[in-house]
Amino acid sequence: GQQVMQIPQYQHVQEGEDFTTYCNSSTTLSNIQWYKQRPGGHPVFLIQLVKSGEVKKQKRLTFQFGEAKKNSSLHITATQTTDVGTYFCACPTGANNLFFGTGTRLTVIP
Amino acid sequence: NAGVTQTPKFQVLKTGQSMTLQCAQDMNHEYMSWYRQDPGMGLRLIHYSVGAGITDQGEVPNGYNVSRSTTEDFPLRLLSAAPSQTSVYFCASSQTQGAKDTQYFGPGTRLTVL
């Protein structure tokens, strides 16, 4: 079945440093979504990427979809303590549901 | 709008007990789903529904039943709880079927089975 691998599993950064998480698929994806889950909270939708090579920005967050539509990344510039949480990518399954990656847990050290 | 609501927030069961996790949404969404979240394993799809009266199995359906008698409600039933079902359960909804639509998640139910 469809699945994506997400790396790294954990990341600790000093406040102000940059952070990147990667999502890789063995097959071409029609689209990919990104969610953020704060500690003790629920996943919240961040963005959806659909086009090959697409780059979207939300303030300090930059999302990319690879040219081959097999990988995606989320980059945070100058992390803040409010960025703490787990970031998930999610991709379509054959049954048109969402398959979630295992997530990257980000810790920001003040 | 309350969005997606789930009850209870916490639950402790003994092995073999049954219970129903409630989920409701007030956004008139057609698609609803249940996920379980375990450490290091992300979110795994248990069951989903594309509309009232229609349900289907996800990735990990064993030990769970669902029904969708109304657009608003999508309860998840544990038939005979097992320790392996200790997890955090999230209900989600979207306007249309999941893969290209924003999923709105409920706050979750933290279940412990002893």
Side-chain angles (χ1 to χ4, degrees):
Chain A
Q2 178 62 58
Q3 58 182 329
V4 288
M5 300 299 294
Q6 199 171 345
I7 55 170
Q9 190 174 1
Y10 303 96
Q11 185 79 59
H12 297 247
V13 299
Q14 291 287 139
E15 189 173 14
E17 291 182 338
D18 291 357
F19 159 77
T20 305
T21 174
Y22 301 90
C23 196
N24 299 304
S25 169
S26 58
T27 61
T28 302
L29 304 171
S30 60
N31 61 287
I32 194 162
Q33 296 183 357
W34 285 91
Y35 289 78
K36 177 184 178 180
Q37 183 178 23
R38 294 181 186 275
H42 59 275
V44 174
F45 175 81
L46 292 176
I47 209 159
Q48 175 166 264
L49 304 172
V50 178
K51 298 178 183 177
S52 168
E54 189 169 16
V55 178
K56 288 188 176 180
K57 293 190 175 183
Q58 292 179 350
K59 298 183 180 177
R60 294 177 295 103
L61 277 62
T62 301
F63 302 85
Q64 292 190 352
F65 202 9
E67 293 289 341
K69 300 180 75 173
K70 288 186 175 182
N71 54 72
S72 182
S73 65
L74 158 59
H75 179 82
I76 303 178
T77 304
T79 54
Q80 300 175 358
T81 54
T82 54
D83 295 324
V84 164
T86 301
Y87 293 85
F88 293 96
C89 62
C91 67
T93 68
N96 203 26
N97 298 306
L98 272 181
F99 180 92
F100 282 79
T102 51
T104 296
R105 182 181 296 179
L106 173 63
T107 301
V108 179
I109 304 163
Chain B
N1 283 355
V4 181
T5 58
Q6 290 184 239
T7 57
K9 284 186 168 54
F10 301 93
Q11 183 70 50
V12 178
L13 292 177
K14 294 181 179 178
T15 297
Q17 288 184 316
S18 62
M19 78 159 295
T20 300
L21 279 64
Q22 301 292 343
C23 174
Q25 53 90 11
D26 62 358
M27 298 175 282
N28 201 32
H29 285 172
E30 290 297 321
Y31 181 84
M32 296 186 74
S33 56
W34 277 101
Y35 289 87
R36 59 176 290 172
Q37 185 174 35
D38 303 296
M41 299 188 74
L43 294 128
R44 291 183 292 168
L45 183 64
I46 304 171
H47 285 284
Y48 65 96
S49 168
V50 299
I54 306 169
T55 64
D56 209 341
Q57 297 181 349
E59 183 185 355
V60 288
N62 291 343
Y64 309 94
N65 273 359
V66 292
S67 59
R68 184 99 179 268
S69 56
T70 67
T71 299
E72 295 78 18
D73 300 297
F74 191 43
L76 178 72
R77 280 182 287 278
L78 279 69
L79 309 172
S80 177
S84 60
Q85 294 178 305
T86 293
S87 188
V88 181
Y89 291 86
F90 289 101
C91 177
S93 75
S94 60
Q95 187 64 52
T96 59
Q97 188 156 3
K100 286 197 172 182
D101 210 346
T102 301
Q103 297 301 306
Y104 295 88
F105 283 84
T109 294
R110 284 147 181 80
L111 175 68
T112 301
V113 183
L114 303 175

